Each structure stands twice: as C-alpha cells, then as structure tokens.
Amino acid sequence: MNFYLQLLGIVVILSFLEFKIINNEKQVLLFVKRGFFPCVFLCCVAGVRALKVGKDNYSYSRYFLKMTFERVHFFNPSFHWIYNLWDLIIRQFTDNVFVFNFCCAIVIYIALYFFVTRYSFDERVSLVLFITLGIFFNSMNQTRQALATAVLLFGFKYAVEKKLIKAMVLCLIATFIHNVAVVMIPIYAFICLAQRIGPRTVAFFSGASIVIALGYNRLIGIFVSIFPKYKYYLKYSKLFVERRSIYRYADFFMALILQIVLVYGLYKLKLREVNEIRNGEGGENNTNTANDDFGNILACMNAVYLCMTYLILNGDIFNRLKSLFVYWVLLTIPFIIKKYFSDNWVIKVLVCVVSIAYMWRLGVHDGDGVIPYKAFFDWEDVLF
C-alpha cells in the first residue's frame, strides 16, 4: 500500500503544473491543464503493470492472445464484439500483452483527462479521489469495463450538450464493450431529451432510486433472467453485518450525505436566485441557470449511485454498476465544495485526508488483487 501512497503524493505534486504557450499576438498556442501530467503518469503506471496486478488481468491477457477474426463475432451483442475487435486490431501489430495493457490505459486516461478538465470544479481534488475511492484500482483490474466507461465519459459531453444521436452512438459502442454500459442509454437519453434538468427531474431520479432499492429482489431476478451469465454474482449478505465489506457502508453513507447536501444546496441556490431576480439583481441569471442544470445532472447521477451502493449491501451483483457511477462522484464533491463552501481549501484538504483513510481500508480488503503493485520489468535494471 505504501507504493500507492507515494503515487498519490506524486499525483498531487504533478497536479500543480499548468502552463500556457502564447505567441506575440497573445494567442494561446498550447494550454497544458492541471490534469494532464497526473493522467499521463497514471497511464504509465497502469500500462506497465505486471500480469499479477489485478485478478482479471491475466485472464484478459490470455483472451487477447487467443483473439482471431472468427472470435470477434461481428454485430453479435452476446460476445461484446467491439471489445473483441479492439483486441484483434492490436493483435495484428503485436502479441505483447504489455503493449495491449498500455493501449487500453491510453484510452482510459484520455477519457478521464477530458472528463475531469471539462466538468470538474477542481481537477486536483477529482484526481485525488480517483485514486482514494478505488477507481484507479478497479481500472487496472476490470479492463473491459474501464474501456466501456471511458467511452461513456466521452459520451457525457454530448449528453450535457443535448446531442442525442452522438450520445446514443457512444452508449451503444460502450454496450458492445461491456454489458454494464446499457444502463446509461436511458439516462443519457433522458438528459438529452429533457428541455431542462430541474428540481423535478432530481426528485424523479431520487424517487426512482428508492423504488429500485425497495424492489431489489424482483429487480435482481429480472437482471439475471436477461443476463444469465451473471448468476454467480448472487451472493446475499445481511445489511451492516459483514465486517470484511465495511468499505461498502462507507460508499453508501458517502452517497447519502452527498445527495442530501446536493438537494438542499440546489434548493438554497434556487431560492437565492429567485430573490435576486425579485430584487433586480439577476444579471448573471444565465450562468446561474447553467450551473443549476449541471448541479441537477450531478444530483441525478448521484441518486443512481446511492441506489447502487445500497443494493450492493445486499448482494454483489450490482457492484459493477456502482463502479460505473462512482466516476460522477469525482465531479460532485468539487461541485459541492465550490458552490456551497466557497471553494474553501480547508474543506478540500479534509475531504482528501478522509478519502485517504478510505483508500487504506480498501488496501486491507483488496478485492481487485492490485496490491502490491509490480511493474512487468525490474526498475533497478532500468535506472542503474
């Protein structure tokens, strides 16, 4: 675990690096944002990992080596054919599994970079949370889902911009990489088609999440009937009993607190906006409306995440979905700090310190098999 603490320190240091290259006409030729160097560093770390880092890493490597044209199963949704095609394309150039891992890491961290730099109110906090919340661990183990999520992160841009066709195309591509991405099709479609994401939409998502949570047994039966290959995930556990899964309770309470703060804060912001309009001080109304809409989108995504964190307290089958929606927590926490706590740096430090304690707990119960970390080569041979 010490390696990941050192990695976290390097990411924090690199996140302070930001510069612009400007010509004589003061036109920006190159703008390197704060998230660039941390994402490049994390991409390299994930790309050069040994096969034993990640329980599924070895299986994905063997799958890659066995990939042939006949195994792609073009346009067959039962065989995640786009992922197979990705394997086949790389396989045409190399049979080195470490090159394959590095190619996957490049896609994942390009998506993360644009996702964070476009929508996070503090890239440093988002990148710290990416590591401390265990997303970095999952991405090194669940390669296929991480690739599908990367495509969905690209698609989020089009969902926010109300570009339905582009968003749906990327959702379908992600679905043919990993089945878990199918849940984003109705969500992205709803965001695109809704004229405005307002408080009623947040209430709808929150209510729907409650209904899903209460109808857990029926829902899990429907899910397994549609995807019978996930039947082995049916491992039931009693609420607040298993000590080995205590980090799951942290997920649930974190999501619950975020949702309460989000909904209450958005209500207060809306109330303040109405008062400003009544007093004739609504000059920045368009900006406030855009921020409110984005905050409402985050509240909707967090409502689904809250639902998933509750469901995995009862069984493992929804853990994959929780791993998908946790990406929006990277945006939600900086949004809350910026909007409700005036971008207070003390709050930022406190959040990061608490999340490090969470990461340490993940290390004690390493479910992804990524601890200890080891590169596929010997560092001493390279450096000395």
Side-chain angles (χ1 to χ4, degrees):
M1 200 62 185
N2 290 335
F3 171 83
Y4 291 107
L5 291 175
Q6 296 168 4
L7 178 143
L8 181 61
I10 295 173
V11 167
V12 172
I13 294 172
L14 292 176
S15 65
F16 283 92
L17 300 179
E18 181 182 57
F19 61 86
K20 294 181 182 179
I21 298 178
I22 303 176
N23 60 15
N24 294 332
E25 288 76 25
K26 294 187 177 181
Q27 295 176 330
V28 178
L29 300 178
L30 179 65
F31 181 23
V32 177
K33 298 182 179 180
R34 291 176 177 175
F36 178 76
F37 290 109
C39 286
V40 171
F41 176 67
L42 290 173
C43 177
C44 293
V45 172
V48 302
R49 69 188 186 274
L51 291 183
K52 65 180 182 180
V53 179
K55 290 181 178 179
D56 297 338
N57 193 17
Y58 184 72
S59 300
Y60 282 121
S61 300
R62 287 178 58 85
Y63 190 83
F64 163 71
L65 292 174
K66 293 180 179 179
M67 184 52 59
T68 61
F69 186 84
E70 292 76 18
R71 288 175 175 263
V72 174
H73 299 284
F74 288 95
F75 305 104
N76 189 332
S78 300
F79 289 93
H80 40 264
W81 64 272
I82 290 184
Y83 175 77
N84 293 342
L85 181 61
W86 165 259
D87 280 16
L88 180 66
I89 292 172
I90 299 176
R91 188 72 176 80
Q92 301 308 304
F93 297 95
T94 181
D95 59 356
N96 190 319
V97 295
F98 303 111
V99 174
F100 167 74
N101 283 339
F102 205 90
C103 290
C104 293
I106 289 173
V107 175
I108 292 167
Y109 287 97
I110 288 176
L112 177 68
Y113 169 76
F114 284 111
F115 182 68
V116 169
T117 54
R118 281 172 180 160
Y119 300 111
S120 176
F121 283 80
D122 193 312
E123 297 163 19
R124 284 190 294 258
V125 174
S126 295
L127 290 169
V128 168
L129 292 173
F130 177 76
I131 299 172
T132 57
L133 293 182
I135 308 174
F136 178 62
F137 300 131
N138 285 332
S139 67
M140 289 197 295
N141 181 45
Q142 302 169 359
T143 303
R144 188 158 59 89
Q145 179 170 335
L147 285 173
T149 304
V151 177
L152 292 174
L153 296 185
F154 284 121
F156 183 66
K157 172 181 182 293
Y158 299 114
V160 172
E161 295 175 355
K162 308 291 186 182
K163 297 179 180 178
L164 177 63
I165 296 178
K166 291 182 179 180
M168 290 300 99
V169 168
L170 288 175
C171 280
L172 289 174
I173 291 174
T175 301
F176 294 133
I177 296 175
H178 197 288
N179 290 334
V180 73
V182 72
V183 301
M184 297 304 294
I185 293 177
I187 294 176
Y188 276 9
F190 188 91
I191 294 174
C192 289
L193 295 174
Q195 187 174 3
R196 186 184 174 206
I197 306 298
R200 292 183 179 179
T201 309
V202 175
F204 170 78
F205 269 80
S206 301
S209 297
I210 294 173
V211 170
I212 291 173
L214 294 177
Y216 168 75
N217 290 328
R218 184 178 295 270
L219 178 66
I220 201 172
I222 295 173
F223 184 89
V224 172
S225 65
I226 297 175
F227 303 110
K229 65 180 181 179
Y230 291 112
K231 188 175 181 179
Y232 63 91
Y233 277 117
L234 297 177
K235 301 173 184 177
Y236 294 95
S237 59
K238 295 182 179 180
L239 190 61
F240 302 109
V241 171
E242 289 189 59
R243 290 186 61 189
R244 68 177 180 82
S245 301
I246 194 169
Y247 71 91
R248 295 185 178 183
Y249 315 145
D251 288 331
F252 172 70
F253 285 117
M254 178 186 70
L256 180 62
I257 293 171
L258 289 178
Q259 192 67 11
I260 292 172
V261 174
L262 265 175
V263 173
Y264 177 75
L266 289 169
Y267 168 76
K268 295 290 289 185
L269 287 177
K270 188 66 178 177
L271 190 62
R272 185 171 63 186
E273 179 186 336
V274 171
N275 291 333
E276 288 177 354
I277 293 174
R278 288 177 178 174
N279 296 330
E281 300 174 357
E284 299 181 355
N285 186 42
N286 291 334
T287 303
N288 290 336
T289 300
N291 287 333
D292 286 351
D293 284 352
F294 185 70
N296 288 328
I297 290 174
L298 293 181
C300 292
M301 301 300 287
N302 191 72
V304 181
Y305 176 66
L306 174 61
C307 175
M308 298 307 160
T309 58
Y310 173 79
L311 290 177
I312 66 169
L313 293 174
N314 298 281
D316 290 339
I317 192 169
F318 293 98
N319 196 33
R320 298 266 182 179
L321 292 174
K322 190 219 71 170
S323 300
L324 170 62
F325 287 99
V326 71
Y327 277 83
W328 277 265
V329 177
L330 305 182
L331 307 181
T332 302
I333 292 178
F335 177 86
I336 290 174
I337 297 174
K338 175 75 173 180
K339 292 297 180 182
Y340 309 154
F341 297 97
S342 302
D343 212 23
N344 191 309
W345 68 270
V346 176
I347 302 295
K348 293 180 182 179
V349 172
L350 181 61
V351 166
C352 292
V353 170
V354 172
S355 66
I356 290 173
Y358 175 86
M359 181 184 76
W360 191 268
R361 186 68 189 182
L362 280 177
V364 175
H365 300 287
D366 177 27
D368 294 321
V370 297
I371 299 172
Y373 177 86
K374 183 176 178 57
F376 72 85
F377 55 85
D378 192 337
W379 290 100
E380 292 183 357
D381 292 341
V382 175
L383 298 176
F384 304 102

